[in-house]
Amino acid sequence: MKKESKVLVILTGGTITMVCDRESGALLPADMETFKAFVPELFTSDIHIDMEAFTPLLDSSDVNPENWARMAHAVYDHYADYDGFVILHGTDTMSYSASALSFMLENLNKPVVFTGSQLPIGTLRSDAKENLLTAIEIAAAKDEDGNAIVPEVTLFFEDKLFRGNRTTKRNAEHFSAFNSYNYPALAKAGVHITYQPHLIRYNNLTLPLRLRVQTDQNVGVLKLFPGIQEAFVKQVLNAPGLRGLVLETFGAGNAPSSEWLYRLLHDAVERGIIIVNKTQCNTGSVEMGLYAVSMNLLKAGVISGYDITTEALLTKMMYLLGENPDNPETVKELLQKDLCGEVTIE
Ligand code: ASP
């Protein structure tokens, strides 16, 4: 690694930025100096590290699209000054933020690595230090030509680097809190960090970074279940202002064959609501038409989400609707395209 690598660490909040209050035992956000004192290694490495923090620091349950835009801006505003970026973030909604930033930072050619921890930075068995230090190393990693090894929005946790928009939080207990069910890890960290260049996306180096932070939050998720009632589905589809819906279906994209469900979905599509079929299974893809019980969805005008995660689909919808407010056909078309590695379309 070249000595002159510079990394900006952006603290947004989450357990990784918290310390345990000795008196009450409660977790509180640490100020930047306290945080730095827990990781003296940060300033003895070959990498030049700067830090900036959100004030206040946020539990990731409070992170919203405005905060995604702020994170994207922080990268964009400092893009020329650093080789890579690390975003410290709560684990609960990290996959949503990582997905959102992958869409908001178009033509990205530098690493943006999300990480966090299951235990606060100051506790004895904390995973915070290792996650942070490895994420920084990945953000700084360059090849012999000085180009970033992983110029994507990624998420590093425990020992794996994943494409951010392929991840899902899978575990509230174990240190391996995330998984990427439908795309392999981009790197594994052991004694050495082993990168998988054939799995990494490389954008055209001559294109400038573009910031695209408009979002439309009039979207929702409807999870189907056996026994779901017409009145409930009707209520959801008639939510005021609704423009896009993630329909979480069974197996390969199947739904009850009731006539009323077909009618409600068809009416909603006719009213301009974009409905995307996302399987409730973590692994595998939607295949509409494979079973008779998905034919109604096809006929109603529901489109396929293939193997995308709910986190990536929701943020992609918000982003596309925000960027193309008057052009639903473009939104539909782009929802069925791979924009930055978030979906496999064969
Ligand atoms: N509630 C915390 C958050 O997401 C959990 C964590 O960071 O692991 O901000």
Side-chain angles (χ1 to χ4, degrees):
M1 183 181 312
K2 301 211 171 150
K3 285 205 176 207
E4 65 271 22
S5 287
K6 283 180 80 185
V7 171
L8 178 64
V9 179
I10 302 159
L11 284 70
T12 70
T15 301
I16 193 163
T17 60
M18 292 183 185
V19 285
C20 190
D21 180 56
R22 287 195 180 206
E23 267 167 36
S24 65
L27 289 179
L28 302 171
D31 60 68
M32 189 112 87
E33 292 316 308
T34 313
F35 182 85
K36 284 179 180 171
F38 280 119
V39 209
E41 299 90 332
L42 280 177
F43 305 99
T44 55
S45 85
D46 286 345
I47 304 162
H48 175 96
I49 297 161
D50 289 323
M51 291 188 159
E52 65 172 53
F54 274 30
T55 34
L57 290 168
L58 300 167
D59 189 290
S60 75
S61 295
D62 285 326
V63 169
N64 58 31
E66 282 79 55
N67 302 124
W68 300 337
R70 224 179 121 188
M71 291 175 214
H73 261 289
V75 172
Y76 184 81
D77 293 345
H78 298 292
Y79 196 62
D81 307 326
Y82 293 93
D83 297 293
F85 302 83
V86 171
I87 301 184
L88 301 188
H89 195 289
T91 58
D92 292 347
T93 67
M94 195 190 293
S95 293
Y96 290 90
S97 296
S99 298
L101 261 73
S102 73
F103 302 117
M104 290 178 165
L105 296 168
E106 198 178 287
N107 304 329
L108 184 70
N109 274 311
K110 293 187 179 183
V112 175
V113 189
F114 276 80
T115 196
S117 67
Q118 294 282 58
L119 285 173
I121 188 94
T123 51
L124 203 56
R125 291 174 46 251
S126 177
D127 50 337
K129 255 192 195 188
E130 275 177 42
N131 285 349
L132 170 60
L133 296 174
T134 311
I136 289 174
E137 195 166 328
I138 293 166
K142 293 191 262 180
D143 63 20
E144 290 92 59
D145 301 324
N147 296 322
I149 296 185
V150 195
E152 294 202 30
V153 177
T154 55
L155 187 157
F156 179 77
F157 224 86
E158 210 205 12
D159 61 346
K160 290 196 187 74
L161 181 74
F162 298 119
R163 176 169 297 153
N165 59 31
R166 289 289 191 156
T167 60
T168 296
K169 184 172 178 183
R170 68 157 170 202
N171 204 311
E173 165 72 20
H174 293 160
F175 287 146
S176 58
F178 290 87
N179 200 14
S180 164
Y181 290 95
N182 284 324
Y183 198 77
L186 305 182
K188 275 194 91 175
V191 174
H192 302 287
I193 302 175
T194 319
Y195 295 98
Q196 303 293 334
H198 63 289
L199 298 172
I200 298 169
R201 266 179 93 88
Y202 296 95
N203 284 322
N204 184 335
L205 281 170
T206 61
L207 296 175
L209 180 69
R210 282 188 63 191
L211 190 62
R212 316 259 248 136
V213 293
Q214 298 301 328
T215 52
D216 184 334
Q217 294 160 46
N218 287 303
V219 297
V221 183
L222 173 61
K223 182 169 183 158
L224 296 178
F225 55 88
I228 194 165
Q229 292 293 297
E230 179 172 357
F232 176 68
V233 176
K234 196 172 188 173
Q235 198 71 26
V236 172
L237 290 170
N238 285 293
L242 185 71
R243 298 199 62 205
L245 185 79
V246 175
L247 184 68
E248 287 201 350
T249 56
F250 310 127
N254 302 319
S257 43
S258 7
E259 184 58 25
W260 64 259
L261 182 62
Y262 164 73
R263 213 177 356 89
L264 287 179
L265 292 170
H266 183 265
D267 285 358
V269 171
E270 291 285 289
R271 284 186 282 121
I273 296 171
I274 297 170
I275 307 180
V276 186
N277 186 344
K278 156 76 186 90
T279 169
Q280 291 173 22
C281 300
N282 282 324
T283 308
S285 187
V286 164
E287 256 186 274
M288 284 199 288
L290 183 66
Y291 290 89
V293 279
S294 61
M295 284 314 282
N296 270 353
L297 300 181
L298 261 183
K299 275 201 286 169
V302 172
I303 60 180
S304 177
Y306 303 95
D307 67 348
I308 198 167
T309 63
T310 296
E311 293 87 334
L313 181 51
L314 257 185
T315 53
K316 185 174 178 178
M317 264 187 176
M318 286 190 201
Y319 154 79
L320 289 175
L321 288 165
E323 288 288 331
N324 307 279
D326 305 316
N327 211 336
E329 284 315 310
T330 305
V331 174
K332 273 194 197 171
E333 198 186 300
L334 293 175
L335 275 168
Q336 292 173 94
K337 284 209 170 124
D338 174 17
L339 303 184
C340 45
E342 75 280 7
V343 65
T344 318
I345 299 173
E346 256 124 42

